[in-house]
Amino acid sequence: MAQSEVTRAEVLQALAEYDRLGRDAFLDRYGFQRARTYLLVHEGRSYDSKAVLGAAHGFLPGRRPLRARDLSGGADHAVRVLRALGFEVVRASFGEEELMALVTRLKVSHHPVDGPSRYQPLTLLWAIGRAVNDGRRLLPWTSTDERLKPLLAAHGRPHQRNRPEYPLAALHRARLWDMADVEGPVPPAHGDAELKAWFTRQRPTSGLVAPVHDLVRRSGLARLRAVDHLLATYFGDLDHAPLLADVGLDGDRMADDLDPAPGPDAPAGPAVPVMPTGPVIPIYEEAPAAPRDPLVLAANYERLCQLVEGGEAERHGRRTDRTTSRPVRSASARRAVLERSEGRCENPGCPGQPVDVTDRGTAILEIDHVDPLADGGRDHPAGMIALCPNCHAVKTRGRTRHRLAERLLAVARERHTALLNRDA
């Protein structure tokens, strides 16, 4: 088959041209549509796999580029050719289920006394935290080594060495970790001197593979599911609060949907939005809400409540010490309440919430424990409510706060029950 004649050198030439022209111009030049199934990932960037292979054929001496109709064997054959040349090819439609399939299939070593190794889960949690907090996917080897060693020492098994080389090599084999700027194959995650020598010599720039990084950065639900599985499977006997703090996943932001990191096709634009001129918009008025599929909303809410209840016993009564002592709270519970609210203040008597939105385009809402944790209340959506800043202030400091709290608690319980029973 014609495309089987292509070597790695021609593919690299095609990738360089793709970078130079940009995605749309490259696809127009070679007559391809945007990839819907497979993407080639190289040095942290994603490319349309079939288009790259077709263009690469044109760099062979005396040959012309191949069009989509010329690629024999279909997309699957193009994937096999590219993978045989050492390139990473992933599914373009990467979602929660694909992520969980990778995370639940981790192969870790087991110590007869200590149990399963925690190095791969710790590395994944650290990388997810980085995706949320600074958005960077790839880090130089020196930075990875410096940051991972103390984390592995603090939260790993006591009789296992805090060597980042092992989890990175294992996660690479599990198709979760990208190694850029290296020559030849990545060695397996065993041995000692040979593995250490490879990392010292190659000094890879590495991080989560692009589809996983992009998903856990933008999707709070995907992030919560992955983190919850890792904690329950590998850290069930530990206090999760210090670990989550060390990997940057202890704040409210851990459960939020975030804007995806700008990719190679992101258009240049102003650093801040340009505000239109015209009449002043009132601060409080009826805020528009996007329509939601009721069954999807109910399914998401039920799944989040299951995550909350799975860790509720472990969190109950626990406090974390920083500058002050505060209760350990569930990011899943906060996310569930935001999902349930559909972007609207849940106070039935709300006079109007801000029409403005956050930098991420979400409604300006605050989550309140109507049944206070300090008084023995549950960290559970049934006792929590989403309020606009005005209603939250009234509930906290207003003269009618006690009467309002009783009403809000009843509303929270009613909405919680109704949503769980929506598809019954």
Side-chain angles (χ1 to χ4, degrees), residues 61-97:
R63 297 302 183 93
R64 62 173 180 82
L66 298 176
R67 299 282 177 166
R69 63 179 178 271
D70 301 324
L71 287 175
S72 56
D76 288 342
H77 183 73
V79 169
R80 289 194 296 273
V81 170
L82 291 169
R83 284 178 176 166
L85 295 175
F87 292 99
E88 180 184 6
V89 183
V90 300
R91 285 192 171 273
S93 55
F94 190 88
E96 286 182 47
E97 299 311 317

Side-chain angles (χ1 to χ4, degrees), residues 250-315:
D250 60 333
D252 287 343
R253 186 172 175 166
M254 203 272 272
D256 290 345
D257 285 340
L258 305 179
D259 291 333
D265 301 314
V272 295
V274 177
M275 299 302 293
T277 58
V280 176
I281 299 175
I283 295 178
Y284 289 95
E285 65 178 41
E286 186 71 12
R292 298 285 303 276
D293 183 325
L295 294 181
V296 172
L297 174 60
N300 285 345
Y301 187 74
E302 182 176 10
R303 182 167 49 185
L304 285 163
C305 287
Q306 290 170 352
L307 292 179
V308 173
E309 291 157 6
E312 192 173 20
E314 186 269 336
R315 289 188 310 274

Side-chain angles (χ1 to χ4, degrees), residues 15-44:
L15 295 179
E17 184 180 33
Y18 190 116
D19 290 338
R20 186 174 66 254
L21 296 177
R23 184 182 194 182
D24 290 335
F26 182 87
L27 295 177
D28 287 344
R29 179 171 185 172
Y30 292 102
F32 283 84
Q33 300 294 320
R34 290 194 172 209
R36 291 181 295 177
T37 308
Y38 293 106
L39 293 174
L40 186 158
V41 179
H42 180 65
E43 295 185 349

Side-chain angles (χ1 to χ4, degrees), residues 141 145 149 161 163-166 169 181-183 185-204:
W141 166 242
D145 188 49
K149 274 183 176 176
R161 290 173 291 181
R163 290 269 300 278
E165 297 95 331
Y166 293 103
D181 304 325
V182 299
E183 296 180 0
V186 178
H190 55 73
D192 191 2
E194 182 181 348
L195 185 64
K196 183 176 181 180
W198 187 90
F199 275 87
T200 301
R201 183 174 64 254
Q202 297 281 355
R203 302 173 69 82

